[in-house]
């Protein structure tokens, strides 16, 4: 009998937000650094490929995983000092992100409210530098404690070392597959200022009150918008935005606008533009399109959903069809935001 912390041939269906069938040759549910070291040191998995899993809300399994899946469930929140500008809090990688945002806010610690209701764990948040409504975790992150797979030792990484970009970090490149985040130290501003300027959020706040919004009001407004717009993965399998919004040059945007005057785009620094991927997909007539159980969500074309019974391969095939249609019509290649395994 394997010890309870290492399960053989384990189902991942309940552990991924698409709800697709897949198994892991081995699954370790780790609640502490000691659990992690124990699991990694087990001779049965010494030579196996490894995959880290948090809440499974940004991952698509297209086949079974033939190695060890490490599901990080490390708990804990503790005050970790301060800098001139911020209060620091170290949060265990297995903590639920949204509950952490709420818990800190309830304790009078504002600064994360724009990122409310993003599903998943705290440990996964730096991996793609989660962002929403004008804020990214990069702006509220002091450091990350991460275990180096090979050496089984933990290192402290500063925000600069994480090399954050738009839905991007060093964990997707240099440290891909070789670091496990154990905890994240968040930096919450001592002098809080509302992050506004995101049109949809500003409209929602105005509709609710004439007062300058508090952090609590922003939290509630963000939750309300997200509940209207995005499917709840516990009811309809999905991983949020399946694609990143593509970034193009000024020249490319000008060329596109001349053919598609209603193109939705946002100016970035450095003269580049971010295009709304949902608009591109909708303009290809693919909003609501379904192929078996896999579908483009009919209220937000950036989201792919499992209406029931879709395999990971079905969802990937639909994603490839979306990419091909957008590339053909606009000459723009959509890059998946979700991690495909
Ligand atoms: C309805 C919905 C809405 C969403 N909205 C947003 C949004 O607004 N903004 C946004 O940015 N994202 C959004 N997402 C995507 C998702 O919530 C985030 O990417 C989240 O951070 C994923 O967390 P997770 O714990 O589920 O990670 P998982 O899906 O389990 O893993 C994602 C990646 O992170 C790696 N990983 C996970 N934990 C660790 C760890 N401890 N150490 C090292 N690597 C790790 C995994 O190997 C994998 O590569 C949304 C998803 C859904 C379903």
């Amino acid at each position: 009998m394997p010890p309870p912390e290492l399960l053989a041939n384990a189902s991942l269906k309940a552990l991924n937000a698409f709800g697709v069938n897949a198994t892991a040759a081995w699954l370790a549910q780790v609640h502490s650094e000691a659990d992690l070291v124990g699991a990694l040191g087990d001779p049965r998995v010494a030579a196996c490929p490894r995959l880290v899993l948090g809440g499974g809300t940004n991952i698509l399994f297209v086949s079974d995983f033939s190695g060890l899946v490490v599901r990080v469930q490390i708990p804990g929140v503790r005050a970790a000092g301060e800098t001139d500008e911020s209060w620091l809090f170290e949060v265990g990688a297995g903590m639920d992100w949204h509950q952490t945002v709420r818990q800190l806010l309830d304790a009078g610690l504002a600064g994360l409210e724009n990122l409310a209701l993003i599903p998943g764990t705290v440990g996964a948040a730096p991996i793609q530098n989660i962002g929403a409504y004008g804020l990214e975790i990069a702006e509220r992150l002091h450091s990350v404690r991460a275990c180096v797979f090979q050496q089984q030792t933990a290192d402290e990484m500063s925000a600069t070392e994480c090399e954050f970009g738009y839905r991007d970090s060093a964990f997707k490149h240099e440290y891909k597959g070789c670091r496990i985040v154990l905890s994240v130290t968040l930096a919450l501003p001592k002098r809080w200022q509302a992050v506004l300027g995101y049109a949809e959020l500003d409209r929602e706040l105005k509709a609710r009150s004439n007062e300058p919004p508090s952090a609590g009001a922003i939290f509630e407004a963000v939750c309300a918008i997200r509940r209207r717009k995005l499917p709840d993965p516990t009811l309809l399998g999905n991983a949020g935005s399946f694609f990143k919004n593509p970034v193009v040059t000024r020249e490319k945007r000008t060329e596109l606008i001349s053919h598609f005057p209603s193109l939705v785009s946002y100016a970035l620094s450095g003269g580049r533009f971010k295009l709304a991927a949902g608009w591109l997909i909708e303009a290809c007539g693919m909003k609501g399109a379904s192929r078996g159980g896999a579908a483009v969500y009919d209220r937000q074309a950036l989201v792919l959903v499992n209406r029931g019974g879709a395999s990971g391969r079905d969802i990937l095939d639909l994603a490839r069809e979306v990419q091909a249609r957008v590339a053909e019509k606009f000459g723009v290649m959509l890059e998946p935001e979700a991690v495909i395994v």
Side-chain angles (χ1 to χ4, degrees), residues 52 54-58 119-121 124 127-128 130-131 167 181 226 238-240 339:
V52 190
T57 66
N58 202 31
T121 57
I127 309 301
Q128 72 153 1
I130 56 166
R167 298 295 184 275
V181 175
R226 295 184 68 100
N238 78 94
V339 177

Side-chain angles (χ1 to χ4, degrees), residues 15-17 51-60 70 72 93-95 97 114-133 146 167 171-172 176-177 179-183 226 230-233 237-241 303 337 339 341:
L15 305 184
N16 74 93
L51 173 75
V52 190
L53 191 63
T57 66
N58 202 31
I59 211 158
L60 175 64
V70 178
V72 179
M95 296 289 286
W97 173 262
N114 295 55
L115 303 179
L117 220 58
I118 296 182
T121 57
V122 167
I127 309 301
Q128 72 153 1
N129 181 20
I130 56 166
Y133 302 101
R167 298 295 184 275
F171 297 104
K172 290 187 145 195
K176 188 174 176 180
R179 302 241 166 160
I180 305 183
V181 175
L182 303 171
S183 68
R226 295 184 68 100
L230 292 166
D232 176 348
N238 78 94
S241 305
V303 177
E337 179 182 310
V339 177
V341 176

Side-chain angles (χ1 to χ4, degrees), residues 82-121:
E82 60 186 286
T83 64
D84 287 349
E85 293 85 33
S86 312
W87 304 112
L88 304 181
F89 285 83
E90 186 181 7
V91 186
M95 296 289 286
D96 179 85
W97 173 262
H98 173 68
Q99 295 308 333
T100 303
V101 173
R102 180 196 290 272
Q103 191 181 329
L104 290 167
L105 198 54
D106 287 349
L109 293 151
L112 299 173
E113 52 285 345
N114 295 55
L115 303 179
L117 220 58
I118 296 182
T121 57

Side-chain angles (χ1 to χ4, degrees), residues 148-161:
V148 184
F149 256 140
Q150 296 305 330
Q151 297 149 19
Q152 295 176 28
T153 54
D155 266 358
E156 194 84 12
M157 295 171 64
S158 68
T160 313
E161 285 172 282

